[in-house]
Amino acid sequence: MTATLEGDFVVFLIGVRINKPLLIHKWFPVVQAMPRMLKELSRQPDLGFIHAEMWFSRTIILVQYWRSMEQLLAYAKNKEAEHLPAWRSFNKAVGTDGSVGIWHETYKASPGSYESVYVNMPPFGLGKAGVLQPATGGKQSASGRLGAERNAP
């Protein structure tokens, strides 16, 4: 199977790294903040959030799909939303003391700039955010899913 998502979209990778596991009072509030944000975003699809997948370990990783960069940035700055108070709280309680790490990466995707394949997998990631379809014909290879075979001379 392969997945498509109509139009442009944004992939937002965000995570928390617990650098000092014994300092629960430092990292637990940070870890609690993300589910609140996801719940808020899921209740308000007009904010542009599409889907997320999360993995838990010493480094918690969350992959989010957004409709646009503008909507992601607007949510990050929204004083009425869950994110900004959580970010301010993090900076006040943790800041740069090294106990908890925060990271994120943001990528804008457009048709022809991404590809996906899922073998023996339930709907996952982009396959949940977008539409799954059989990876047949020209879509059996990564270059085919990227459209390279259609654009070859």
Side-chain angles (χ1 to χ4, degrees):
M1 300 296 284
T2 187
T4 58
L5 187 57
E6 190 174 320
D8 293 348
F9 62 95
V10 172
V11 179
F12 182 59
L13 309 176
I14 186 167
V16 174
R17 184 174 189 273
I18 300 168
N19 295 325
K20 297 183 180 177
L22 296 179
L23 298 181
I24 296 169
H25 68 285
K26 292 282 191 166
W27 59 261
F28 191 69
V30 178
V31 172
Q32 280 187 309
M34 187 53 74
R36 287 194 310 267
M37 287 182 240
L38 292 173
K39 188 174 183 180
E40 173 181 63
L41 289 164
S42 295
R43 286 192 316 256
Q44 300 177 61
D46 57 314
L47 294 177
F49 174 77
I50 302 170
H51 177 68
E53 300 278 353
M54 189 180 311
W55 296 267
F56 294 93
S57 184
R58 178 179 178 187
T59 300
I60 298 166
I61 300 173
L62 182 68
V63 178
Q64 297 181 359
Y65 299 89
W66 286 77
R67 183 48 45 208
S68 72
M69 191 73 72
E70 294 76 21
Q71 288 173 304
L72 171 60
L73 295 174
Y75 178 73
K77 296 176 189 177
N78 184 343
K79 293 176 184 173
E80 307 296 316
E82 292 282 343
H83 173 265
L84 202 52
W87 180 237
R88 288 181 177 148
S89 177
F90 171 83
N91 283 313
K92 185 177 179 181
V94 177
T96 58
D97 74 7
S99 61
V100 182
I102 297 278
W103 64 275
H104 78 253
E105 299 175 3
T106 312
Y107 304 94
K108 185 174 181 181
S110 57
S113 71
Y114 67 92
E115 67 86 27
S116 62
V117 67
Y118 308 91
V119 179
N120 300 326
M121 286 290 296
F124 179 84
L126 186 61
K128 270 189 164 176
V131 176
L132 280 170
Q133 58 193 40
T136 57
K139 294 182 180 185
Q140 290 177 319
S141 68
S143 61
R145 290 186 296 276
L146 284 166
E149 294 173 3
R150 288 188 299 270
N151 300 326

